[in-house]
Amino acid sequence: MSDKFKLSRRGFLKTAGAAAAGVAANAVVVPGKFEMPHIRRKTTLKWIEWITPEISEEKMQGVLDAFYATDAGKLIEIERIALPYAQIRDTIITQHLAGKTPDILNMNAPWAVELAELGVLAPLNDFLDSAGEEWVSNLVTGPMVPWKGNIYVVPLTSIPFLMYYNEDKLADAGYSAPPATWADVEEMGPALTDPSKDTYCYASAMAAKSPYNGIAIELFPLIFQSNGWLLTEDGKSSWATPEVQKAVEYWLHLFNELKIYAPGGLTNIEADKIEAFGAEQTALLWSNVAHVTVLEQRNPDLKFGLAPLPEGDTYGTRLTGWNTSASATTEEPEAVWEFIHWLTGPEGNAKMTIAAKHLPGNTAAQVDELFEEDPRLLVPKGVLEKGRCYAIAAGMPEVTNLFAMATEQLHEMVAGKDVAEALADIDSQWDEVLEKYS
């Protein structure tokens, strides 16, 4: 197994050595303190991001005010293009094609290869070299999978997927704790579902439209929990395996037979199921820790807890996070890096992490007050420490296209297509894409 594949497969909480190795495979990292000798004048940078809609204008401005108090911040003004997450990828591509790519880009790691191939993103190797080995060693390596020898993203926050549960709905159904295993879900799901009251155990988000991320949120963890994987060691698709088939058939059982999902499961996007949980239409939610703040804003009266995802044959979950990238066409690369360096360094990372109620992308960030203010956040911390948190899609090409193929096949399985046949078709379709990059 290659070192690069190991890095993507082990994409969870870093050790210092592993983080440094993730960069050193493709860049010579030297000790030293990053300086900004090239910023000579006041400059304005455009930053496209989905953070403001999720944490509030007030909290985002507080983060930026802390940056403006630094020496670099006195020379750099940040102009935000704040949009909902679901609009970011397509907007980046549209603006790039129009020759108007923002200087700084909020980045979902699975988009990185696709956007690098389109010429949107700048390699960050030289800047990471200048930041120094000690600084780099503290970064969570999950999203930093190299592509063709270059690293295109730096982690801002770490957000493992876990389970939200409505405390009142569980209590009303006679349960004192959320499901801990697949069997628990099969038992509890029907008791938490009452279509006559428009209340359900889960909502799904398997829409066949961009960003096609429903499978990554709901199916990938099940696959990890059944000891499955999505790629072979030589980079070929591996959906057509007993482990993956077991996971997919379990999801289909919940969706088609137990009918514990709210209507719209094949047309909803991720934001829809967040809203369903916030509106107390659903009792349980598979999502990441990023939505704690969103749900508190949507429904201040909602009583909810956090728990690890239910276990199958083993435990497993998906690791994602907010990341930052630089435009390949920016006219101010040094200023862009200075902002990214601060935002993902210990000081800025702590400010952003606390404002967002995430876990840090830089493990040197001091965020103890997070857990004091909201002890629920000890759950995602424990999930990261437990391991088996995978950021598999971070180093894959044409991820949106691959996700779309798998989503379309899932829709056909819901409609009755043979599961083994559909999984074989996914392998065939994925391999046709992956072979172009072999």
Side-chain angles (χ1 to χ4, degrees):
M1 186 182 294
S2 71
D3 287 342
K4 289 181 183 178
F5 187 81
K6 286 179 180 177
L7 178 60
S8 66
R9 184 159 183 162
R10 295 177 183 170
F12 50 91
L13 191 65
K14 66 99 205 169
T15 62
V23 176
N26 294 284
V28 178
V29 180
V30 295
K33 185 177 185 295
F34 182 80
E35 299 177 354
M36 53 167 199
H38 304 296
I39 304 176
R40 305 295 187 194
R41 57 184 173 78
K42 186 83 172 179
T43 187
T44 298
L45 303 176
K46 291 186 177 181
W47 180 23
I48 187 168
E49 47 93 3
W50 65 79
I51 299 173
T52 300
E54 299 204 10
I55 70 171
S56 80
E57 175 70 29
E58 180 183 2
K59 288 184 177 180
M60 175 59 91
Q61 191 59 52
V63 173
L64 290 178
D65 286 346
F67 172 66
Y68 294 145
T70 68
D71 289 342
K74 292 178 174 64
L75 294 173
I76 300 170
E77 184 77 20
I78 302 297
E79 179 182 319
R80 284 172 286 140
I81 305 168
L83 297 170
Y85 166 81
Q87 298 177 22
I88 293 289
R89 172 192 167 273
D90 293 347
T91 301
I92 288 172
I93 292 173
T94 299
Q95 293 195 342
H96 176 71
L97 293 175
K100 299 178 180 179
T101 312
D103 303 280
I104 305 158
L105 306 102
N106 236 155
M107 187 56 48
N108 182 21
W111 305 338
V113 170
E114 174 187 18
L115 296 182
E117 287 288 306
L118 289 174
V120 177
L121 305 184
L124 299 176
N125 299 41
D126 290 344
F127 290 114
L128 290 166
D129 289 354
S130 67
E133 184 175 0
E134 181 179 356
W135 188 87
V136 171
S137 71
N138 287 316
L139 299 178
V140 173
T141 60
M144 298 176 67
V145 181
W147 178 252
K148 296 183 178 178
N150 292 312
I151 292 171
Y152 292 94
V153 301
V154 182
L156 178 54
T157 65
S158 296
I159 42 181
F161 279 80
L162 37 66
M163 179 185 294
Y164 292 70
Y165 60 92
N166 183 308
E167 296 175 357
D168 290 337
K169 284 188 178 293
L170 259 63
D172 290 344
Y175 298 110
S176 60
T181 66
W182 286 13
D184 289 345
V185 175
E186 291 180 272
E187 174 200 333
M188 296 171 64
L192 294 167
T193 299
D194 186 348
S196 69
K197 297 180 180 178
D198 194 29
T199 184
Y200 299 86
C201 177
Y202 286 133
S204 186
M206 294 291 186
K209 59 184 178 182
S210 182
Y212 299 95
N213 61 341
I215 59 161
I217 296 170
E218 296 177 42
L219 283 188
F220 285 11
L222 291 175
I223 290 168
F224 304 150
Q225 291 160 14
S226 61
N227 280 310
W229 197 244
L230 296 164
L231 296 173
T232 64
E233 292 189 9
D234 58 356
K236 293 187 179 298
S237 178
S238 62
W239 282 80
T241 64
E243 294 83 6
V244 175
Q245 183 166 339
K246 179 177 181 179
V248 173
E249 288 178 341
Y250 173 74
W251 186 89
L252 289 167
H253 172 61
L254 301 181
F255 192 91
N256 270 351
E257 297 172 17
L258 294 185
K259 300 185 185 302
I260 62 174
Y261 282 87
L266 299 185
T267 55
N268 289 339
I269 60 173
E270 183 182 12
D272 295 321
K273 72 177 195 175
I274 306 302
E275 291 295 334
F277 186 79
E280 303 195 63
Q281 183 188 24
T282 56
L284 305 175
L285 169 68
W286 281 38
S287 189
N288 60 63
V289 73
H291 296 117
V292 169
T293 300
V294 173
L295 288 166
E296 289 176 336
Q297 292 172 349
R298 298 291 192 275
N299 185 355
D301 296 326
L302 178 65
K303 297 179 181 178
F304 67 91
L306 303 176
L309 295 180
E311 292 194 26
D313 294 330
T314 184
Y315 184 73
T317 191
R318 179 171 169 246
L319 178 68
T320 185
W322 292 348
N323 306 288
T324 45
S325 295
S327 166
T329 57
T330 181
E331 296 180 356
E332 302 285 352
E334 292 84 7
V336 167
W337 174 251
E338 184 61 29
F339 179 65
I340 292 176
H341 182 259
W342 180 84
L343 193 64
T344 60
E347 180 187 353
N349 202 230
K351 295 286 186 184
M352 179 58 75
T353 299
I354 292 168
K357 289 193 172 183
H358 290 198
L359 298 180
N362 188 314
T363 59
Q366 298 299 309
V367 295
D368 288 346
E369 69 183 81
L370 264 180
F371 310 114
E372 295 170 2
E373 293 178 1
D374 192 344
R376 292 175 302 188
L377 297 176
L378 291 169
V379 174
K381 181 175 183 289
V383 167
L384 283 177
E385 292 170 348
K386 186 175 184 178
R388 290 187 59 82
C389 303
Y390 299 126
I392 179 175
M396 291 168 59
E398 295 189 36
V399 165
T400 302
N401 187 21
L402 297 178
F403 284 6
M405 293 170 177
T407 300
E408 290 165 3
Q409 289 296 329
L410 182 71
H411 281 218
E412 293 193 31
M413 286 184 271
V414 169
K417 183 173 181 176
D418 179 74
V419 174
E421 179 185 353
L423 296 181
D425 286 344
I426 294 175
D427 278 344
S428 177
Q429 293 169 344
W430 276 36
D431 281 341
E432 186 175 347
V433 172
L434 295 170
E435 283 170 5
K436 293 187 296 183
Y437 302 91
S438 60

